[in-house]
Amino acid sequence: MGKDTHKKQCEEETAGEKDFGEDLEALSLEEAFERIEETIGRLEEEETTLEESFLAYQKGMRLLQYCNTKIDKVEKLVLKIGEDGELDEF
């Protein structure tokens, strides 16, 4: 990927950062994990500047926090069967 193409892609992603919080709730857990993988890939690219790396890191941390919250909610809803055969909240 050329420098100009890479810079344009990063600028487009950065422009979407302002709306990222609103968009986050619409993501499924799987989609959030995919975005985390994309963010990690961006951080590993040699052409990524320090500023772009920092923005990608922030985005990745927000995604991880979202995933953690979503997983916590699911865990609280999961029921387990106790030794007495009763359903108990997890």
Side-chain angles (χ1 to χ4, degrees):
M1 177 182 309
K3 273 190 171 182
D4 292 335
T5 305
H6 177 72
K7 185 175 180 179
K8 184 177 180 181
Q9 178 186 1
C10 290
E11 287 172 355
E12 289 171 359
E13 290 167 359
T14 304
E17 287 291 319
K18 296 176 185 109
D19 303 336
F20 189 70
E22 297 170 18
D23 183 53
L24 201 56
E25 291 299 318
L27 291 178
S28 70
L29 198 52
E30 292 80 9
E31 291 169 329
F33 282 132
E34 285 177 21
R35 288 199 184 178
I36 289 170
E37 287 181 23
E38 291 169 4
T39 301
I40 291 169
R42 220 169 296 118
L43 287 168
E44 292 174 340
E45 292 176 357
E46 290 183 25
E47 300 92 19
T48 304
T49 66
L50 182 59
E51 183 177 306
E52 292 165 349
S53 294
F54 183 68
L55 290 172
Y57 173 80
Q58 287 180 317
K59 181 178 179 178
M61 292 306 294
R62 283 194 302 271
L63 282 163
L64 286 172
Q65 185 176 27
Y66 168 74
C67 290
N68 188 41
T69 300
K70 196 152 183 130
I71 290 170
D72 284 346
K73 287 179 184 178
V74 170
E75 284 179 344
K76 289 177 184 174
L77 296 174
V78 172
L79 298 176
K80 67 176 183 175
I81 299 175
E83 291 179 21
D84 57 359
E86 297 284 322
L87 289 178
D88 300 317
E89 286 190 49
F90 183 66

